[in-house]
Amino acid sequence: MASNGKSSERQRIAQQRLRIIAGHLRKQEELDHRDIAAQECKAESNSNAATPNSMPRKRQEIMKWNGWGYSDSRFLFNKKGQAEFTGKRYRLSGLILPSLKDWFEGTFGANLQHKSPATPAINASAVHPPNLSESFVEELKATGIPFSHDTEDRVFRAHGHCLHEIFALREGRFGRCPDMVVWPNCHNDVVKIVELACKHNVCLMPYGGGTSVSSALECPPEEKRSIVSLDTSQMNRILWIDEKNLTAHVEAGIIGQDLERLLNESGYCTGHEPDSMEFSSLGGWVATRASGMKKNIYGNIEDLVVHIKMVTPRGVIEKSCQGPRMSTGPDVHHFILGSEGTLGVVTEVTMKIRPVPEYQKYGSVVFPNFQAGVACLREVAKQRCAPASIRLMDNEQFQFGHALKPQESSIFTSFVEGLKKFYITKFKGFDPHQLCVATLLFEGDREKVLQHEKQVYDIAAKFGGLAAGEDNGQRGYMLTFVIAYLRDLGMEYYVIGESFETSVPWDRVLDLCRNVKERIIRECKDKGVQFAPLSTCRVTQTYDAGACVYFYFAFNYRGLSDPLSVYLQVEHAAREEILANGGSLSHHHGVGKLRKEWMRETISDVGVGMLKSVKEYVDPDNIFGNRNLL
Amino acid sequence: MASNGKSSERQRIAQQRLRIIAGHLRKQEELDHRDIAAQECKAESNSNAATPNSMPRKRQEIMKWNGWGYSDSRFLFNKKGQAEFTGKRYRLSGLILPSLKDWFEGTFGANLQHKSPATPAINASAVHPPNLSESFVEELKATGIPFSHDTEDRVFRAHGHCLHEIFALREGRFGRCPDMVVWPNCHNDVVKIVELACKHNVCLMPYGGGTSVSSALECPPEEKRSIVSLDTSQMNRILWIDEKNLTAHVEAGIIGQDLERLLNESGYCTGHEPDSMEFSSLGGWVATRASGMKKNIYGNIEDLVVHIKMVTPRGVIEKSCQGPRMSTGPDVHHFILGSEGTLGVVTEVTMKIRPVPEYQKYGSVVFPNFQAGVACLREVAKQRCAPASIRLMDNEQFQFGHALKPQESSIFTSFVEGLKKFYITKFKGFDPHQLCVATLLFEGDREKVLQHEKQVYDIAAKFGGLAAGEDNGQRGYMLTFVIAYLRDLGMEYYVIGESFETSVPWDRVLDLCRNVKERIIRECKDKGVQFAPLSTCRVTQTYDAGACVYFYFAFNYRGLSDPLSVYLQVEHAAREEILANGGSLSHHHGVGKLRKEWMRETISDVGVGMLKSVKEYVDPDNIFGNRNLL
């Protein structure tokens, strides 16, 4: 990789530009006698104060090795058989959830006596020894970049959070793992690592937050070369904030919660809030085409990025301009967005920032049924007056939401009262087995928010929707970050489950929701699942031409000889059903290895050929060999 | 090109999807005994009523051969020395413009006695004879697709509207021309043409509206193969309108004015209104990443398209889903958008449509100087309350606008009065040589428009801006479509000129505007231009992170031995100046051949390599050999 040549070319161009600018300040004759020198910017270095970082190098210090999230936070059934959520990090932490047990046992036919506990700790002898490229390690040592081949470090970066990955970990089964982990501190470190990997034919797998649910992080079992996990978590500074252009230049290893917290300190935000934001990274968002809860205001990742820098085996790719929108051939940012770690490592990104909104208000609306709710969301989208976030859950999720209500606490009292209202069948004739709830979040100038709110509730009323208070809305969003912990609870008692999502035109939304949910139930039955599964969905995003739909499905696998196989078949059938009903392969989770088989159908042979041609040019030796996408 | 194989693969997938859907309607046992057949859709055919088409096959029936626009519309100085605009198509048509002569002579040091008329007609003997591939023509005849190798048809498609192209035509000089023109009627016709071109190694150049200003339509002089101009103008139907999803599926040859007029009949619009919309095509917009005047409401072309179908030498590329937003790897639509005719022919596009807005209101604001105007536009962008359109012209364009005011007519009376006000130096202390005008257009619900208007004028007031009435705003936009005709007037009297544009971050806007205008003046002086040039700019679009700036520059070339060479050098220097000041290579005009030299600098070597790898895969024999971009 001829980075020195590229660097001097960039310097030549910078020098030329400086000369042109200087021409306006001085007479040309003076310039001809003066040397305009362009120096490489030395902003990145160890001397910069490291960003206070949520993620230590040794993730195991705070994260679970075989489940979601922080070690100190989990759902469990206590000795009284009550559900509680441990730890101190979340609003739900330390609270009892009195209805969860009944809901869990009733929904899944589960029994707290029937336990399927996880292997308590990593059995190092079950992990294949590292296959290190000695020459690579030698040269890596010389760079001073930290690395490790400890078993725990390797295991932590051998997986994402697909069900089958977590299930295997809980059974103490380990497949192919990275042989080493390396922690670059800045762009230049990544350049060195990629150069060495190319030189020694080592497979690199970029690792951001580790939250992939597309098998993107699974190490290809057929990979014979050394696999090095390139962990970006220590490369996480905000390099500069530009208040004039409302942009920030950020290292790609920064985690969502840190990015927002740091920008908030200056009165700004990106507003990008994917459900995974406690752990996922900026580089990961770029690589997967991430979407955030409040995209209606802030946009999805492709709307948020102004400039991207990526290190590839061919060299560094980056545009030379920070202009807001250009016509300079096909947009190469879109060759990077969605490349899922197959082309290189995203190191730095310029993102748009916004002033932190003055005012925030939650809300909720109850609809008599799902169709009315969808029709309302469609009308809101048509009038282009969607709040920052508007999400419609189906009746099953509404019931599920009850199960998660905590015992009395000041925050939740009015909420409990409000919920009781819903449960009364006489409530304006709403059938509790049909009704659905939409949760809303408004942000902005207070006056505008209140106007906006009125407009949305007026539309809702046309579809039989009734405002159901701020608390219910707030609770809905608050649960966002704890939902993922529930699966680990289920897995203690023979219940496995997964979420998956799609985007679909408006006129197919209802059919798709109904058909996919029915298909899941039918497939589970056909494959011998003993108790009807939970099969539920919600509309989580609205667009001009369609919506994003998010499914949960979970079932009790007791009695099945090969539960994972049943699960994979059902999930496969669900995706076929989604595609048959006009839904996309994915709205935001991406393709990884889990959905590769549908790529030809999705973007056509010529589309696949285009992606392959780019891959073969950028990475002819498949250094970035995670085998995602193609 | 194995289109038959691809077609049966698509049928297999369609059949599978139908089977899945049918599973919800019938019992599975029934299905197993029933054949689900998926037939190829036969919607496209000659039987469909052709769209009433603004553009006949023989463009020369209504268009000028060596200038802009319609033959019946031009500026001229009549016997009294007054400027008038001929014809009946425009609001300005048939009107006298009493101030234009003085402005023209004063600004350029021109003299109506000094004429530089154009060659009156195409001299066929000056056009190289067609180089036809006999075998290609034979097989083409068998398809029944109309074609021609008449000299006029060939000349008409041999150029766009760069100054040097029009200058050459006026001098009766013809370079390389297409050898044939072919007029496909539908997607399947295009498939046949591309297959034949691949088989007989014929160079294809897609031709939409012919309005390119990037030398994209120049035929490469080194091209030895037969060049066939693939004119899409007869492939222009709206195939369907989907009111549920607010989309329309349209053939790519449709011209902007026809698309909007037809959609309006159903109460819809795309809202995409590039200044070239009278002549430019949907396929051309996709190929060049077009931008429209009202992008603040409707988005640019990349925001408007939901689905694209393109025929390439490798086959047809299209996604299988019309979902609103997806994460299925890098977005292949963005390999097509901006490909500038180098990869294939765009045949059909699904675009978003919107209900025609209830209400429209123009407006204008006078600022004491350009800096105040830019600061206001920046604040409007920051508050994300930009109207449908907001454009700020500099003082030179304000003066120029006066020159275009027509003689008394009922429409313009109050406008003339209003203008007189501006000319009075005592008007709130505004210096007539510093003041600038912003024109605005609001659209939407009447109530919201009035609120929105108030918000924008309130912001303007903070920057010393004063509301200057609807008429001035309306006049500004009305002139949009006649401005392009002015250059032809200038060229009758030794004046040549061009427009060019860029996008730039907010904090560089003022420097860029000032430095580029100064550079143009300096370069003209250095190169012996006798009279100082017109060098002027306006901010035509606002974004979160920057703006689009549009420059006009024109000069009197009398006394120069090689005016075109001087012009090209000045334009080149202007672009270097733009780049040095942080501006992009282009906001929306594209790269063509005119700006190829800066591509490496713009997207980096790796970016260029990516584009090349896609080109080499999709079109290994360079059938689409217009030599644009790379």
Side-chain angles (χ1 to χ4, degrees):
Chain A
M1 191 175 80
S3 63
N4 282 342
K6 300 296 167 291
S7 172
S8 62
E9 173 67 12
R10 283 205 305 276
Q11 263 178 293
R12 187 194 66 74
I13 289 165
Q15 224 143 303
Q16 184 179 332
R17 291 185 177 191
L18 281 172
R19 181 169 286 280
I20 287 171
I21 301 282
H24 293 279
L25 301 170
R26 296 180 173 284
K27 292 202 201 331
Q28 198 58 38
E29 314 85 66
E30 284 184 42
L31 276 185
D32 294 336
H33 299 293
R34 189 182 281 274
D35 233 340
I36 311 273
Q39 308 287 335
E40 196 69 48
C41 177
K42 297 213 186 330
E44 72 272 355
S45 77
N46 294 341
S47 58
N48 273 9
T51 295
N53 193 348
S54 290
M55 195 50 62
R57 261 193 254 159
K58 298 281 175 180
R59 298 171 65 92
Q60 50 272 41
E61 288 167 9
I62 57 173
M63 305 290 283
K64 296 193 188 80
W65 73 273
N66 63 354
W68 179 262
Y70 296 106
S71 303
D72 57 25
S73 303
R74 69 179 68 234
F75 284 100
L76 54 82
F77 291 110
N78 61 24
K79 292 188 173 48
K80 297 184 200 169
Q82 291 169 318
E84 40 177 289
F85 191 68
T86 68
K88 292 176 184 172
R89 294 180 188 265
Y90 299 90
R91 296 191 74 180
L92 210 63
S93 302
L95 300 181
I96 303 286
L97 298 87
S99 312
L100 189 54
K101 174 173 177 290
D102 287 347
W103 175 85
F104 183 67
E105 288 182 328
T107 300
F108 297 109
N111 185 322
L112 297 200
Q113 308 307 318
H114 300 148
K115 296 187 182 173
S116 51
T119 309
I122 298 172
N123 171 11
S125 62
V127 182
H128 70 80
N131 165 26
L132 301 171
S133 159
E134 296 300 334
S135 46
F136 175 83
V137 174
E138 273 313 298
E139 293 208 54
L140 184 63
K141 273 184 186 153
T143 66
I145 298 167
F147 67 89
S148 159
H149 37 80
D150 288 356
T151 305
E152 270 200 345
D153 295 330
R154 296 168 52 217
V155 165
F156 259 80
R157 291 162 188 75
H159 68 88
H161 282 269
C162 287
L163 172 71
H164 58 271
E165 297 179 283
I166 302 301
F167 195 89
L169 290 174
R170 289 174 60 89
E171 292 197 330
R173 285 187 285 113
F174 305 98
R176 182 76 162 90
C177 296
D179 300 293
M180 285 180 64
V181 181
V182 63
W183 288 277
N185 194 48
C186 61
H187 169 83
N188 281 356
D189 280 358
V190 174
V191 169
K192 290 173 191 164
I193 294 166
V194 173
E195 278 182 336
L196 289 182
C198 291
K199 182 175 175 183
H200 300 284
N201 198 23
V202 157
C203 174
L204 285 180
M205 288 183 59
Y207 183 95
T211 58
S212 165
V213 285
S214 66
S215 300
L217 290 172
E218 272 184 23
C219 296
E222 70 272 24
E223 182 54 74
K224 306 241 177 307
R225 299 169 297 179
S226 197
I227 296 179
V228 173
S229 178
L230 192 151
D231 184 322
T232 59
S233 61
Q234 309 308 303
M235 190 173 79
N236 68 343
R237 292 166 206 80
I238 297 179
L239 294 175
W240 44 254
I241 292 177
D242 180 342
E243 292 187 278
K244 287 184 176 171
N245 294 309
L246 291 177
T247 52
H249 194 66
V250 191
E251 289 180 324
I254 199 164
I255 301 298
Q257 55 169 309
D258 294 333
L259 176 58
E260 293 310 279
R261 194 182 64 245
L262 283 164
L263 287 174
N264 287 175
E265 285 170 14
S266 304
Y268 296 107
C269 65
T270 62
H272 182 66
E273 298 189 4
D275 289 358
S276 61
M277 72 180 289
E278 295 172 282
F279 312 113
S280 58
S281 69
L282 171 53
W285 305 335
V286 169
T288 59
R289 292 177 57 82
S291 175
M293 185 184 95
K294 301 191 288 189
K295 68 95 187 164
N296 289 335
I297 292 183
Y298 301 98
N300 286 317
I301 193 68
E302 66 273 21
D303 308 305
L304 281 163
V305 302
V306 174
H307 189 271
I308 305 173
K309 189 151 66 168
M310 181 168 77
V311 180
T312 80
R314 283 282 178 191
V316 176
I317 177 169
E318 64 173 323
K319 295 182 186 174
S320 61
C321 178
Q322 298 246 346
R325 190 270 180 184
M326 312 178 208
S327 171
T328 57
D331 185 355
V332 293
H333 280 174
H334 276 275
F335 288 46
I336 300 170
L337 288 156
S339 55
E340 302 198 13
T342 59
L343 300 180
V345 186
V346 175
T347 53
E348 293 175 11
V349 179
T350 306
M351 285 181 92
K352 298 197 299 193
I353 61 177
R354 296 290 302 160
V356 169
E358 165 189 291
Y359 184 65
Q360 252 193 358
K361 190 168 183 191
Y362 290 93
S364 60
V365 180
V366 181
F367 293 97
N369 54 54
F370 193 67
Q371 296 87 300
V374 170
C376 173
L377 262 63
R378 198 276 167 276
E379 182 61 25
V380 164
K382 181 173 179 179
Q383 294 193 27
R384 287 192 167 171
C385 64
S389 169
I390 179 165
R391 307 203 279 206
L392 174 75
M393 63 186 84
D394 67 7
N395 185 263
E396 288 89 344
Q397 283 191 32
F398 166 68
Q399 310 277 1
F400 174 34
H402 275 206
L404 284 168
K405 75 183 191 293
Q407 209 157 34
E408 260 93 73
S409 86
S410 58
I411 310 164
F412 291 107
T413 312
S414 59
F415 148 76
V416 172
E417 290 311 310
L419 262 193
K420 281 185 185 157
K421 271 200 293 181
F422 297 152
Y423 233 89
I424 298 163
T425 57
K426 294 189 195 65
F427 184 55
K428 303 263 182 173
F430 282 21
D431 176 349
H433 297 291
Q434 289 287 318
L435 68 84
C436 301
V437 177
T439 54
L440 307 98
L441 172 61
F442 298 86
E443 286 194 350
D445 296 334
R446 191 173 182 284
E447 213 180 291
K448 285 216 178 131
V449 162
L450 297 175
Q451 260 190 345
H452 192 178
E453 193 190 32
K454 181 181 186 318
Q455 180 180 12
V456 173
Y457 285 124
D458 284 350
I459 295 173
K462 296 197 171 94
F463 295 92
L466 292 174
E470 292 177 57
D471 287 345
N472 294 318
Q474 189 164 18
R475 183 181 60 88
Y477 287 106
M478 194 211 70
L479 288 174
T480 298
F481 296 124
V482 297
I483 290 284
Y485 288 91
L486 263 179
R487 183 167 71 180
D488 295 320
L489 177 68
M491 289 176 90
E492 292 284 312
Y493 302 98
Y494 284 96
V495 172
I496 50 179
E498 187 69 287
S499 65
F500 50 90
E501 41 73 61
T502 186
S503 47
V504 59
W506 279 113
D507 68 331
R508 307 302 304 278
V509 171
L510 287 176
D511 282 353
L512 182 140
C513 289
R514 187 195 63 239
N515 289 349
V516 172
K517 290 198 289 184
E518 276 179 21
R519 181 73 182 269
I520 288 171
I521 293 168
R522 202 166 78 216
E523 293 284 333
C524 283
K525 186 163 186 240
D526 286 352
K527 287 163 178 54
V529 172
Q530 299 288 310
F531 206 89
L534 173 71
S535 178
T536 166
C537 71
R538 67 171 179 265
V539 179
T540 58
Q541 292 290 2
T542 62
Y543 291 87
D544 285 330
C548 172
V549 180
Y550 212 90
F551 292 91
Y552 291 137
F553 112 83
F555 63 93
N556 181 344
Y557 68 84
R558 199 155 183 269
L560 295 179
S561 55
D562 193 345
L564 257 198
S565 169
V566 168
Y567 157 74
L568 286 166
Q569 288 176 68
V570 175
E571 191 196 36
H572 191 274
R575 183 59 60 183
E576 287 282 357
E577 190 67 42
I578 285 173
L579 297 176
N581 282 268
S584 68
L585 193 55
S586 170
H587 169 265
H588 65 278
H589 280 173
V591 175
K593 291 175 270 292
L594 191 60
R595 287 179 272 279
K596 282 168 70 160
E597 69 188 271
W598 289 286
M599 278 296 277
R600 277 189 188 277
E601 178 176 330
T602 294
I603 61 171
S604 76
D605 284 343
V606 180
V608 169
M610 284 174 160
L611 297 192
K612 282 189 169 170
S613 68
V614 171
K615 166 69 173 180
E616 281 160 16
Y617 161 73
V618 170
D619 185 17
D621 298 325
N622 200 22
I623 297 301
F624 287 91
N626 60 22
R627 302 339 192 248
N628 289 342
L629 290 178
L630 304 169
Chain B
M1 191 174 77
S3 61
N4 282 343
K6 299 297 166 291
S7 172
S8 62
E9 172 66 11
R10 285 206 304 275
Q11 263 179 294
R12 186 194 68 73
I13 291 165
Q15 225 143 301
Q16 183 179 331
R17 292 185 177 192
L18 281 172
R19 179 171 288 279
I20 287 172
I21 301 286
H24 293 279
L25 301 169
R26 295 180 176 284
K27 293 204 197 342
Q28 198 58 37
E29 313 86 63
E30 283 186 43
L31 275 186
D32 294 336
H33 298 294
R34 188 181 283 273
D35 234 339
I36 311 272
Q39 307 288 334
E40 195 68 47
C41 176
K42 295 209 182 342
E44 72 272 355
S45 78
N46 295 341
S47 59
N48 274 7
T51 295
N53 194 346
S54 291
M55 196 48 63
R57 259 192 254 158
K58 298 282 175 180
R59 298 172 64 93
Q60 50 271 44
E61 287 168 10
I62 58 173
M63 306 289 283
K64 296 193 187 81
W65 73 274
N66 62 355
W68 179 263
Y70 297 106
S71 303
D72 57 25
S73 303
R74 69 179 67 234
F75 284 100
L76 54 81
F77 291 109
N78 62 24
K79 291 190 171 45
K80 295 185 199 166
Q82 291 168 318
E84 37 175 294
F85 191 67
T86 68
K88 293 177 183 171
R89 295 181 188 262
Y90 299 90
R91 296 190 74 180
L92 211 63
S93 301
L95 299 182
I96 303 286
L97 297 86
S99 312
L100 189 54
K101 174 174 178 290
D102 288 347
W103 175 85
F104 183 67
E105 288 182 326
T107 300
F108 298 109
N111 185 323
L112 297 198
Q113 308 307 318
H114 300 146
K115 296 188 182 171
S116 52
T119 308
I122 297 172
N123 171 12
S125 62
V127 182
H128 69 82
N131 165 26
L132 301 170
S133 158
E134 295 302 335
S135 47
F136 175 82
V137 174
E138 274 311 300
E139 293 207 55
L140 184 62
K141 273 183 185 158
T143 67
I145 298 167
F147 68 89
S148 158
H149 36 81
D150 288 356
T151 306
E152 271 201 344
D153 295 330
R154 295 169 52 217
V155 165
F156 260 80
R157 291 162 188 74
H159 68 88
H161 284 269
C162 287
L163 173 72
H164 58 271
E165 297 179 283
I166 302 301
F167 195 90
L169 290 174
R170 288 173 62 88
E171 291 196 331
R173 284 187 286 113
F174 305 97
R176 183 74 162 92
C177 295
D179 301 293
M180 286 179 63
V181 181
V182 63
W183 288 277
N185 194 48
C186 61
H187 167 83
N188 280 357
D189 280 358
V190 174
V191 170
K192 290 174 191 164
I193 294 167
V194 174
E195 279 184 335
L196 289 182
C198 290
K199 183 174 174 182
H200 300 284
N201 198 23
V202 157
C203 173
L204 285 180
M205 287 185 58
Y207 183 94
T211 58
S212 167
V213 285
S214 66
S215 301
L217 290 171
E218 272 184 24
C219 295
E222 70 272 24
E223 181 54 73
K224 304 237 178 309
R225 299 169 298 179
S226 196
I227 295 179
V228 174
S229 178
L230 192 151
D231 184 322
T232 58
S233 60
Q234 308 308 304
M235 190 174 80
N236 67 342
R237 292 165 207 80
I238 296 180
L239 294 175
W240 44 253
I241 292 177
D242 180 341
E243 294 188 276
K244 288 184 175 170
N245 294 309
L246 290 177
T247 52
H249 193 66
V250 191
E251 289 181 324
I254 199 165
I255 301 299
Q257 55 169 309
D258 293 334
L259 175 59
E260 293 309 280
R261 195 182 62 245
L262 284 164
L263 287 174
N264 287 175
E265 286 170 14
S266 304
Y268 296 108
C269 65
T270 62
H272 182 66
E273 299 189 2
D275 289 359
S276 61
M277 71 180 291
E278 295 172 282
F279 311 114
S280 58
S281 70
L282 171 51
W285 303 335
V286 169
T288 59
R289 292 178 56 83
S291 176
M293 184 184 96
K294 301 191 290 189
K295 69 94 187 163
N296 289 335
I297 292 184
Y298 302 98
N300 286 318
I301 193 68
E302 65 273 21
D303 308 306
L304 280 162
V305 304
V306 174
H307 188 270
I308 305 173
K309 189 151 66 166
M310 180 169 77
V311 180
T312 80
R314 283 282 179 189
V316 176
I317 176 167
E318 64 174 323
K319 295 183 185 174
S320 60
C321 177
Q322 298 246 348
R325 190 269 182 186
M326 313 176 207
S327 171
T328 57
D331 184 355
V332 293
H333 281 174
H334 277 274
F335 287 45
I336 300 171
L337 288 155
S339 54
E340 302 198 13
T342 59
L343 300 180
V345 187
V346 175
T347 53
E348 295 175 9
V349 179
T350 306
M351 285 181 92
K352 298 197 301 192
I353 60 178
R354 296 290 302 160
V356 169
E358 165 189 291
Y359 184 65
Q360 251 193 0
K361 191 171 183 189
Y362 290 94
S364 61
V365 180
V366 182
F367 292 96
N369 53 54
F370 193 66
Q371 297 86 299
V374 170
C376 174
L377 262 63
R378 198 278 168 276
E379 182 61 22
V380 165
K382 181 172 178 179
Q383 293 194 28
R384 288 193 166 169
C385 64
S389 171
I390 178 166
R391 305 204 281 207
L392 174 75
M393 64 185 83
D394 66 8
N395 185 262
E396 288 89 344
Q397 284 190 31
F398 166 68
Q399 310 277 0
F400 175 34
H402 276 204
L404 285 166
K405 74 184 192 291
Q407 209 157 33
E408 259 95 71
S409 86
S410 56
I411 311 165
F412 292 105
T413 311
S414 60
F415 148 76
V416 172
E417 291 311 308
L419 262 192
K420 282 185 183 154
K421 272 201 293 180
F422 297 153
Y423 231 89
I424 298 164
T425 56
K426 295 189 191 65
F427 184 56
K428 306 263 184 169
F430 281 21
D431 176 349
H433 298 291
Q434 290 287 320
L435 67 84
C436 302
V437 177
T439 55
L440 306 98
L441 173 61
F442 299 85
E443 288 194 349
D445 297 335
R446 192 172 181 284
E447 213 180 289
K448 286 222 179 121
V449 162
L450 298 175
Q451 261 191 343
H452 192 178
E453 193 191 32
K454 181 181 187 316
Q455 180 180 13
V456 173
Y457 285 123
D458 283 351
I459 295 173
K462 296 199 174 91
F463 295 92
L466 293 174
E470 292 178 56
D471 287 346
N472 295 317
Q474 188 163 20
R475 184 181 60 87
Y477 287 107
M478 191 210 73
L479 288 174
T480 298
F481 296 123
V482 297
I483 291 282
Y485 289 90
L486 263 179
R487 183 167 70 180
D488 295 320
L489 176 69
M491 288 175 90
E492 291 285 312
Y493 301 97
Y494 284 96
V495 173
I496 51 178
E498 187 68 288
S499 65
F500 50 91
E501 41 73 59
T502 186
S503 46
V504 60
W506 281 112
D507 67 332
R508 307 302 304 277
V509 170
L510 288 176
D511 282 353
L512 182 139
C513 290
R514 186 194 67 237
N515 289 348
V516 172
K517 290 197 290 184
E518 276 179 22
R519 181 73 182 268
I520 287 170
I521 293 168
R522 202 166 77 215
E523 292 285 334
C524 283
K525 187 164 187 239
D526 287 352
K527 287 163 177 53
V529 172
Q530 300 288 311
F531 206 88
L534 173 70
S535 177
T536 168
C537 72
R538 66 172 181 264
V539 179
T540 58
Q541 292 289 3
T542 62
Y543 291 88
D544 284 328
C548 172
V549 179
Y550 212 89
F551 292 91
Y552 290 137
F553 111 85
F555 62 93
N556 181 345
Y557 68 85
R558 197 154 185 270
L560 295 179
S561 55
D562 193 346
L564 258 197
S565 168
V566 168
Y567 156 75
L568 287 166
Q569 288 176 66
V570 175
E571 190 196 37
H572 191 275
R575 183 61 58 183
E576 288 281 357
E577 191 67 42
I578 285 172
L579 297 176
N581 281 270
S584 68
L585 193 55
S586 171
H587 169 265
H588 65 278
H589 280 173
V591 175
K593 292 175 269 292
L594 191 60
R595 286 179 273 278
K596 282 168 70 162
E597 69 188 270
W598 288 287
M599 279 297 276
R600 277 191 187 274
E601 178 176 329
T602 294
I603 61 171
S604 78
D605 284 343
V606 180
V608 168
M610 284 174 160
L611 297 191
K612 282 189 170 170
S613 68
V614 171
K615 166 68 174 182
E616 280 160 17
Y617 161 72
V618 169
D619 186 17
D621 298 326
N622 200 22
I623 297 301
F624 288 91
N626 60 22
R627 300 342 190 247
N628 289 343
L629 290 178
L630 302 170

